[in-house]
Amino acid sequence: GGYLAHYYVEGGGFYGIDIAAYLPFTVAKTWHLQLAVFWIATAWLGMGIYVAPLIGGGEPKKQGLLVDLLFGAVVLVAVGSLAGEWLGVHGYLGSWWWVLGHSGWEIIELGMLWKVLLAVGFALWLFIVGRAVKGALVEEQRFETVGLVRLFLISAIAIPAMFAASFLITPGSHLTMADYWRWWVVHLWVEGFFEVFATAALAFIFCSMGLVSRTVATAASLASASLFM
């Protein structure tokens, strides 16, 4: 962030040191945004993994192994995409720039391969969360039409669903349509349903602590979801 701010004052240099050839503005800005998004996404995924067994009443078998696999996938996507973006901007990937390098679209700069692997990671996360809350979901359906557990699970599903809009952007997409789908990812994935998911998770935690009633917690989650529907 400091390097980017300084770039506007001394274009191409950093206090007299010419490092633009190694870390050009495009790469620095991309890494700055991507690391922030990965950090936020990983924190939300961690919250889901932590809260799910509290909702379901225990950890399913082999849950630890699945979490380790997910952690490895997150590291692979983060490191691989950052490296690919640097290589793509410097022209080292040739025709593979779209698959492994830099897509050119803010927030979703990572190449297609890394997006696919990220989607696979989301699917694994949903499986981890879903199997942990399955029992509580079945129990809730017996007594409530729209319950807190169901809202938690729906918001979890919405996270990868909104990210899927990024796959509709291709190198041949018209600028209008490409930026439209990018808007979906930025405002409905990053700024939208992550917050809905956080509201549902925190509502359950507050309810479990006895700070609010289950009715109030459910109403708060519904109100948060209604803002993005």
Side-chain angles (χ1 to χ4, degrees):
Y3 173 61
L4 288 174
H6 189 79
Y7 215 113
Y8 289 100
V9 179
E10 185 186 349
F14 189 68
Y15 293 102
I17 303 174
D18 184 12
I19 60 175
Y22 307 100
L23 188 61
F25 182 85
T26 301
V27 175
K29 184 179 180 182
T30 294
W31 285 1
H32 184 64
L33 289 172
Q34 288 289 287
L35 286 172
V37 171
F38 282 140
W39 190 335
I40 295 168
T42 303
W44 274 192
L45 298 184
M47 174 185 280
I49 293 171
Y50 175 76
V51 172
L54 299 180
I55 296 174
E59 293 275 9
K61 293 181 178 180
K62 305 294 184 180
Q63 192 81 327
L65 175 61
L66 293 175
V67 172
D68 289 341
L69 288 174
L70 178 60
F71 177 75
V74 169
V75 173
L76 175 63
V77 171
V79 175
S81 64
L82 294 178
E85 286 153 0
W86 188 91
L87 292 170
V89 169
H90 283 83
Y92 294 132
L93 297 178
S95 61
W96 288 84
W97 66 271
W98 180 260
V99 178
L100 300 174
H102 196 300
S103 72
W105 292 100
E106 192 174 51
I107 298 296
I108 49 173
E109 291 97 336
L110 62 170
M112 180 59 71
L113 174 63
W114 311 117
K115 286 198 291 188
V116 170
L117 292 178
L118 184 57
V120 171
F122 277 133
L124 176 58
W125 174 70
L126 278 177
F127 179 71
I128 292 171
V129 171
R131 70 198 297 259
V133 303
K134 182 179 178 180
L137 181 64
V138 172
E139 187 68 21
E140 181 183 81
Q141 289 176 332
R142 297 178 183 176
F143 304 102
E144 300 181 66
T145 304
V146 179
L148 193 55
V149 179
R150 193 179 305 181
L151 286 170
F152 174 81
L153 194 56
I154 290 173
S155 63
I157 294 172
I159 291 174
M162 292 302 102
F163 178 74
S166 66
F167 289 100
L168 298 175
I169 302 173
T170 68
S173 296
H174 189 277
L175 172 64
T176 304
M177 294 308 302
D179 203 42
Y180 173 77
W181 292 121
R182 188 192 72 86
W183 184 93
W184 271 62
V185 176
V186 173
H187 296 287
L188 295 181
W189 181 59
V190 178
E191 299 174 353
F193 280 97
F194 267 128
E195 279 73 10
V196 175
F197 172 77
T199 301
L202 290 173
F204 180 84
I205 292 175
F206 289 162
C207 181
S208 300
M209 295 172 65
L211 299 177
V212 297
S213 67
R214 195 175 184 90
T215 301
V216 171
T218 303
S221 298
L222 279 171
S224 175
S226 67
L227 294 174
F228 300 97
M229 292 182 178

